[in-house]
Amino acid sequence: MNARDLVSILLTIDGGDRKLRDLVNLHTVDALVCLAAGAGAKEASSLLAFYRETGAGDAISSAAGASAVIRFTEWDAIHVPSCATPDAMAVPAALAFAQDYGTYVKAVVAGHSVGVALSEAVGGVSALPETWPGLFAAPAAAAVSVAIALDLSEERVAQALVLAMAGSSGRNGRPSGMPSARWLVIGEATSKGIRAALAAKAGVKGDLDLLSPAWMKGQAAAAGALEAKRIDPMAIARVGVKPFVSARQGMNAIQAFSSLLHKGLDPDAIETVRVFLPPVAVPVVGRPLDTEDRLATIAHLGLQLGIAAYEPPRLMDVDRSRPFDGNALDLARRVTVTADDGLPVEGWPARVVVSEKGQTREAVWPQNSDENLHSALDRKLESLPMAVTRPLQRIEAAFAGADLSAVAEARGLMRSLTGFPAPKSEAA
């Protein structure tokens, strides 16, 4: 597949399309909420300090730092089948370089299209754990977002794409320690993508036939051909907002269990909780719990259900540095997670069965009704300190009204949250 064939589809995106604008507005605010929630966490602060100390205060480093922190939160939007998380790359990259609202919309939509397409082509969830689809696609999502934000020609957008993907892989191993390379590589992939777009603007040329079936197959055993039909400008509509700080594999189980709590389930009366998930979702959420390991506390489904029962605000706790409630930890030990071949892989549904004083309650999620993404975003906004909520609400209103100042205001907030001062031209 020649890169020009892919890019020609992206250049048909209409930045004035109402549905696309609404989706971009939602994902922009959600990404900034994640950035605001994560920026103060100890590990994220270390990452941002690294980018400030090594980036000379430039737009690339601010966007790369924002990208790393947004992904670090594990609260950012995800496309479930492909494991793509393009908000973290497309939004900061486009904000850093777009100069008007319509171009910004096109840039973010294009970044999502490429990010999802490449993540699907490399195998999506089937590529895990050897290849991380979201990391594999990250440079391309950033590169295409910036190239379109800069209004480059079709040829140069195509060059940006292949320059970004040259030498890339989604193989990151399992980094340990803090700060973790798991998040640094996301920031670095975004930085690479941005620089690829700037190199294409400067006339640097790569191999437009790079993304061939043979090359794709070399990236993961589960990979397939990157075909033009995978490039879908509406891919952003399939990237779902996360209501909790959680591994997506366990999100539906938390929702199902929470629905039982809302119906009167008494946490103190719970004897056992059995969670049934598609086999592909079990390995992440069924790992042993280590309360000293932040990612383990986010992924471990037993602890997440304990938090839902005894300290529900902590479902939105990005940092996870405070000790957990003893009752929550006790409940976590009574939760078992079992693979159920009868559950479909699509959407990672969950069935939760609770034994309470000899009786059984059961819930299945997702339910028939669609989740209201705006309601989920509102709850995320409300969980933040008011000093951060107010500017985010102003930005949300500006984007909803397609205000000419919306992009500049959001860019200013991104730079502020990452600790980079606004350029003099924007300081007023």
Side-chain angles (χ1 to χ4, degrees), residues 89-379:
M89 304 90 208
V91 170
L95 279 180
F97 291 91
Q99 296 304 308
D100 64 80
Y101 176 71
T103 302
Y104 173 75
V105 170
K106 290 173 62 176
V108 172
V109 170
H112 279 74
S113 300
V114 167
V116 170
L118 278 166
S119 297
E120 286 180 327
V122 83
V125 70
S126 299
L128 297 170
E130 287 78 18
T131 299
W132 180 5
L135 173 61
F136 172 70
V144 166
S145 294
V146 171
I148 289 181
L150 293 172
D151 198 25
L152 301 188
S153 67
E154 179 179 314
E155 170 71 17
R156 294 195 174 189
V157 176
Q159 294 290 354
L161 173 59
V162 296
L163 289 171
M165 293 307 294
S168 293
S169 86
R171 298 181 182 91
N172 190 42
R174 295 191 179 278
S176 59
M178 192 280 289
S180 173
R182 179 176 177 84
W183 319 120
L184 178 67
V185 293
I186 292 293
E188 293 300 280
T190 298
S191 178
K192 180 186 180 186
I194 294 172
R195 290 183 63 80
L198 296 177
K201 181 183 179 184
V204 178
K205 293 179 172 56
D207 178 5
L208 293 178
D209 294 316
L210 175 71
L211 307 177
S212 66
W215 185 85
M216 287 297 304
K217 198 64 181 175
Q219 309 311 308
L226 178 61
E227 300 171 337
K229 65 181 180 182
R230 291 189 185 273
I231 302 295
D232 178 12
M234 287 305 298
I236 189 172
R238 304 194 303 276
V239 179
V241 171
K242 276 186 172 184
F244 313 123
V245 178
S246 170
R248 182 60 182 83
Q249 289 91 332
M251 192 76 70
N252 287 325
I254 300 171
Q255 296 272 41
F257 182 70
S258 296
S259 73
L260 293 177
L261 292 171
H262 292 151
K263 292 176 181 177
L265 173 65
D266 179 4
D268 294 331
I270 294 175
E271 296 166 352
T272 62
V273 181
R274 290 176 293 158
V275 179
F276 299 90
L277 298 172
V280 72
V282 171
V284 171
V285 299
R287 295 176 193 166
L289 175 61
D290 178 358
T291 56
E292 300 301 314
D293 181 340
R294 174 182 170 271
L295 272 184
T297 70
I298 290 172
H300 191 273
L301 192 50
L303 179 60
Q304 291 286 64
L305 299 190
I307 292 170
Y310 289 102
E311 41 184 346
R314 294 202 68 183
L315 288 172
M316 299 185 179
D317 174 18
V318 168
D319 198 20
R320 300 291 173 114
S321 60
R322 293 185 289 109
F324 293 95
D325 183 282
N327 289 320
L329 293 170
D330 183 56
L331 179 57
R333 289 187 279 270
R334 284 176 274 143
V335 176
T336 58
V337 180
T338 303
D340 184 346
D341 289 317
L343 290 172
V345 173
E346 182 68 27
W348 295 335
R351 183 165 66 93
V352 175
V353 180
V354 179
S355 295
E356 173 196 23
K357 295 181 179 179
Q359 297 185 340
T360 298
R361 296 183 187 234
E362 182 172 333
V364 176
W365 207 274
Q367 298 178 339
N368 292 329
S369 59
D370 292 333
E371 180 186 10
N372 187 322
L373 297 182
H374 287 281
S375 295
L377 180 56
D378 287 342
R379 289 194 298 272

Side-chain angles (χ1 to χ4, degrees), residues 379-396:
R379 289 194 298 272
K380 293 173 77 163
L381 272 166
E382 290 165 3
S383 73
L384 300 176
M386 189 58 68
V388 178
T389 301
R390 286 196 186 98
L392 281 166
Q393 288 173 332
R394 287 198 303 272
I395 288 170
E396 185 177 32

